Amino acid sequence: MSIQPIEPELELSSHIQTLGHCSVTSPLPYRRFMSDSDLVMYDLDPGRLKARVRDGLEPMAFERAGAREKIYFDPANVKVAIVTCGGLCPGLNDVVRSMVHELYFMYGVRRIKGVRYGWAGLNPSNRLGLLDLDPEVVQGINEDGGSFLGSSRGPQPVDVIVDTLFREDIRILFAIGGDGTLRGAVAINKEIQRRGLGIAVVGVPKTIDNDIGMVSRTFGFDTAVAQAVESLRCAHTEARGARNGIGIVKLMGRHSGFVAANASLAVANASFVLVPEIPFDLDGPKGLLASLDSVLSKRGHALVVVAEGAGQDLFDDDFGTDPSGNRKLGDIGLLLKQRISEYFKSKKFEHTVKYIDPSYIIRSVPAAPNDRIFCVFLGQHAVHAGMAGKTGVLIGSWNNLFVHLPIELAIRRRKQIHPDGILWTSVLESTGQPESMVNSL
Ligand code: F6P
């Protein structure tokens, strides 16, 4: 059996930067603390591990997240800020609450600030001010969806943000957000270091799309999948209730179709799953329309699940970019609805199309219990990392353990569905859809 080469980004350093020597004894009443030499293996494949060791290379590993016995910041003096950026995601409030509780009750930190509406809140020209946070203020916020602090898309001038952090005497900035936010956090951290300011930047990865590189799960994803399942169930019911009924559900997922793929596996009655990672044609003998035709003649109904970023090559227009710099997408759901209806009408084939676009409904809800628990851990681990003076660090989860990742490592490459991986293979098995719906193949 040949041994696959290690992916290029794994050769990058997983070393975590720290602001300096940790000389303050942690106030946490733990019997067992984590140390920087507690590691989590990146690669559990024995063949690759052996080959690496044989080549004289260290096994690639991440630092374990968790409370340190000696910390960098004095809890009595340190002032921290929490910011939530980008699109909403179930669990944002749970992470904020968890951080505030950990800081306040466990470390005894009293100067905790909340930044309003994302990076915009750190630009004084927006006059948003900072909120004072304590356990009383964040009480019950985890019962609600959205972000208690408010969020926004788009960057703000990095030098202005760093000026604000310095002026406000913020020593730890906790940034909760997706890849755009994390890119911002890297730029802010670099500017802090250029100025030699000794401010820690700690990221918590957030996105329902679950597309952050080197992070096996982001919070909000499970909740979004659970919500999406409801739409799929309804669309399937509608499709089955009509002669040659076709249900179409469009789900979020700009570059990665994890929500669509996982929700489809959960309902186990989708006929087609279309994701940004796997191209498909509409027309021709192998295209979606012909495949759908054949499913209808066999089963009398069909459910099509499409991620919003799928089939973008079917649009000629350039729709511009959003404030985060993301390419705006053509509406693939509406295009499918129109083209499917036209196709069956032209064949004079009796059918009905029921289209559901749950849109923001899947991400503006409160987090489901599993995500809530996950968020509690993420918030706590972020606080431990910050108090230990770790910076440019992201709290990741790898092999079911919480780890410290350099933010730069995580944003190098987006996580996507692999066409030969187990997830997509399972989707193909569960739907029975052809492996390729591209006519030229
Ligand atoms: O990044 C998460 C996400 O929910 C994507 O799936 C979606 O494309 C995007 O946000 C839409 O967010 P907004 O409308 O806020 O830009």
Side-chain angles (χ1 to χ4, degrees), residues 86-88 153 207-209 252-254 308 322 329 360 363:
L88 295 183
R153 282 204 183 276
T207 161
I208 61 160
D209 293 355
M252 282 188 169
R254 195 186 273 126
E308 63 180 334
D322 73 7
L329 301 172
Y360 296 100
R363 71 171 207 194

Side-chain angles (χ1 to χ4, degrees), residues 63-328:
E63 196 175 285
R64 283 281 294 270
R68 289 345 194 218
E69 194 163 10
K70 291 284 182 185
I71 55 177
Y72 180 78
F73 288 108
D74 177 0
N77 302 322
V78 71
K79 187 174 176 188
V80 311
I82 305 172
V83 62
T84 61
C85 308
L88 295 183
C89 180
L92 280 166
N93 288 335
D94 301 69
V95 177
V96 171
R97 181 179 180 278
S98 166
M99 284 176 173
V100 172
H101 274 238
E102 190 69 20
L103 285 159
Y104 193 96
F105 289 125
M106 301 309 293
Y107 283 93
V109 174
R110 291 294 179 266
R111 302 201 298 160
I112 312 171
K113 294 285 177 183
V115 180
R116 313 294 319 279
Y117 300 106
W119 295 132
L122 288 171
N123 184 340
S125 66
N126 293 317
R127 300 182 179 283
L128 291 165
L130 296 174
L131 281 180
D132 285 322
L133 299 181
D134 62 31
E136 184 98 353
V137 174
V138 298
Q139 193 186 356
I141 61 171
N142 52 322
E143 299 301 329
D144 299 325
S147 170
F148 162 78
L149 296 173
S151 189
S152 66
R153 282 204 183 276
Q156 295 286 327
V158 169
D159 55 337
V160 173
I161 291 181
V162 176
D163 287 347
T164 306
L165 295 175
F166 180 69
R167 196 179 43 254
E168 293 287 339
D169 191 27
I170 304 294
R171 300 299 305 278
I172 310 176
L173 175 65
F174 296 103
I176 310 169
D179 56 353
T181 309
L182 298 176
R183 272 172 230 291
V186 167
I188 291 165
N189 192 37
K190 286 197 169 140
E191 179 61 13
I192 287 168
Q193 291 185 352
R194 195 187 66 75
R195 297 191 197 179
L197 292 182
I199 300 171
V201 178
V202 180
V204 175
K206 164 232 77 163
T207 161
I208 61 160
D209 293 355
N210 198 22
D211 61 353
I212 307 237
M214 315 290 286
V215 174
S216 44
R217 172 184 165 199
T218 50
F219 75 84
F221 171 66
D222 278 5
T223 307
V225 169
Q227 281 295 116
V229 160
E230 295 308 314
S231 298
L232 266 53
R233 215 197 313 268
C234 294
H236 184 246
T237 303
E238 288 288 343
R240 272 212 327 188
R243 204 162 149 219
N244 295 315
I246 303 161
I248 305 173
V249 181
K250 183 180 82 169
L251 295 170
M252 282 188 169
R254 195 186 273 126
H255 305 283
S256 303
F258 290 108
V259 172
N262 281 274
S264 302
L265 282 181
V267 292
N269 52 25
S271 316
F272 298 94
V273 180
L274 308 170
V275 294
E277 297 90 331
I278 321 282
F280 68 94
D281 288 339
L282 275 175
D283 302 302
K286 287 180 87 179
L288 175 70
L289 296 172
S291 305
L292 185 55
D293 203 336
S294 122
V295 167
L296 283 186
S297 54
K298 282 186 213 136
R299 287 194 222 150
H301 70 277
L303 172 61
V304 181
V305 182
V306 59
E308 63 180 334
Q312 290 303 306
D313 54 320
L314 302 169
F315 297 91
D316 295 327
D317 305 334
D318 178 355
F319 300 100
T321 52
D322 73 7
S324 301
N326 301 303
R327 194 162 60 89
K328 286 195 191 158

